[in-house]
Amino acid sequence: MNLTIRLDHVTRRYRDAVALDDISFQIGTGVTALLGPNGAGKTTLLSLLSTAAAPDNGTVEVFGHRADGTLAERTAIRRRLGFLPQEVEFPSGMTAFGFLEYIAVLKEWNDKTARHREVRRVLDAVQLADRPTIKIRKLSGGQRRRLAFAQALIGDPDLLILDEPTTGLDPEQRAVFRATLSERGRHGTVLLATHQTEDVGAVCDQVLVLDRGRVAFAGDVPSFIDSARGRVWVDDAPVPNAVASWRDPNRRVRSVGGEPPPTAEPVDPTVEDAYLLLVGPTPGVEVAA
């Protein structure tokens, strides 16, 4: 594995709250899913990796450089990094092309011809090649999300950090996004923070799960799914003490975990099943049907 990211005993606090609690892991080439409930420390981790924040203890390395090191080290990381935050604020009045050119200038694309060629390339990659001169305020929510993704692709970065990138995308757009990520994972590193477990099963090689600031799981996707094997059932009624139960399209009840009666039939688990067994359902969300 070509190592891209290494964390060694990293802790990050916010006053009295511990966001990351002595975590260590490594990430190499490929697509890695970052999963975890709200408040698990995912956003804090992304801020450390993108050099926007520093740990209180431990070491964060990206491409062998300290993410909290000298300006030269942080700049070396940023030149090989594409980052898509969960929320992107676009400058007022800009066109799609103008916004991407602005980002390209910030990324030191000083040759105008090469810069314009790169802007057109990323617009095409996110299927916005026919929208370059339209004001951003006139784009749909999904189109603005794709534009935000496009800015992360400028310069063909070796590391892509994406926070909930498929929010607002329709099924066709999500399919294009998955194809793009699969291709990039062949020669680079993608860290995909998401709540969309179907994206994990479709494109990811590895899974990293955070829960309450600690690493709950780190490994490949098949191993993660196998951790739920023999613990997922279908029956005519919910399994007692199940973590979650819901009625499937065949009008049978799928239960994750619990104490199955003799009538319950085991079924193949999914990424979502493994996640629910590891950290439980998100508080306040009704899972049972």
Side-chain angles (χ1 to χ4, degrees), residues 132-191:
T133 60
I134 295 180
K135 297 289 187 180
I136 295 175
R137 64 174 178 269
K138 295 184 178 180
L139 296 176
S140 68
Q143 288 171 335
R144 287 196 294 271
R145 196 59 182 162
R146 283 185 280 156
L147 181 62
F149 181 41
Q151 63 80 28
L153 296 176
I154 291 175
D156 195 24
D158 296 313
L159 170 62
L160 270 178
I161 297 177
L162 309 173
D163 193 357
E164 298 292 346
T166 58
T167 300
L169 301 186
D170 63 31
E172 182 180 359
Q173 294 164 355
R174 183 170 290 174
V176 172
F177 169 80
R178 289 174 176 173
T180 301
L181 286 198
S182 296
E183 181 60 29
R184 296 198 60 80
R186 294 175 57 189
H187 60 84
T189 302
V190 180
L191 181 60

Side-chain angles (χ1 to χ4, degrees), residues 82-268:
F83 181 44
L84 171 60
Q86 189 169 2
E87 299 292 337
V88 177
E89 293 188 11
F90 296 100
S92 177
M94 273 193 172
T95 64
F97 191 99
F99 169 70
L100 292 176
E101 183 175 23
Y102 168 70
I103 298 297
V105 169
L106 295 179
K107 292 188 173 184
E108 301 176 324
W109 283 73
N110 298 320
D111 181 271
K112 184 176 180 179
T113 300
R115 185 170 67 242
H116 285 190
R117 184 167 56 246
E118 179 66 4
V119 169
R120 287 191 292 269
R121 182 188 73 82
V122 297
L123 278 170
D124 185 63
V126 299
Q127 296 189 337
L128 288 177
D130 60 341
R131 298 285 191 273
T133 60
I134 295 180
K135 297 289 187 180
I136 295 175
R137 64 174 178 269
K138 295 184 178 180
L139 296 176
S140 68
Q143 288 171 335
R144 287 196 294 271
R145 196 59 182 162
R146 283 185 280 156
L147 181 62
F149 181 41
Q151 63 80 28
L153 296 176
I154 291 175
D156 195 24
D158 296 313
L159 170 62
L160 270 178
I161 297 177
L162 309 173
D163 193 357
E164 298 292 346
T166 58
T167 300
L169 301 186
D170 63 31
E172 182 180 359
Q173 294 164 355
R174 183 170 290 174
V176 172
F177 169 80
R178 289 174 176 173
T180 301
L181 286 198
S182 296
E183 181 60 29
R184 296 198 60 80
R186 294 175 57 189
H187 60 84
T189 302
V190 180
L191 181 60
L192 172 64
T194 182
H195 286 98
Q196 304 293 333
T197 54
E198 61 269 29
D199 288 340
V200 179
V203 301
C204 294
D205 309 295
Q206 302 286 320
V207 179
L208 175 67
V209 182
L210 294 182
D211 188 22
R212 301 176 188 177
R214 304 298 298 271
V215 174
F217 180 91
D220 60 69
V221 172
S223 296
F224 185 57
I225 294 173
D226 279 345
S227 69
R229 195 165 300 281
R231 303 171 68 190
V232 184
W233 322 88
V234 292
D235 203 349
D236 294 330
V239 166
N241 301 318
V243 173
S245 298
W246 62 91
R247 197 168 296 279
D248 66 21
N250 296 319
R251 307 307 297 167
R252 302 202 72 192
V253 177
R254 184 183 183 97
S255 295
V256 180
E259 302 166 7
T263 55
E265 302 172 19
V267 294
D268 289 336

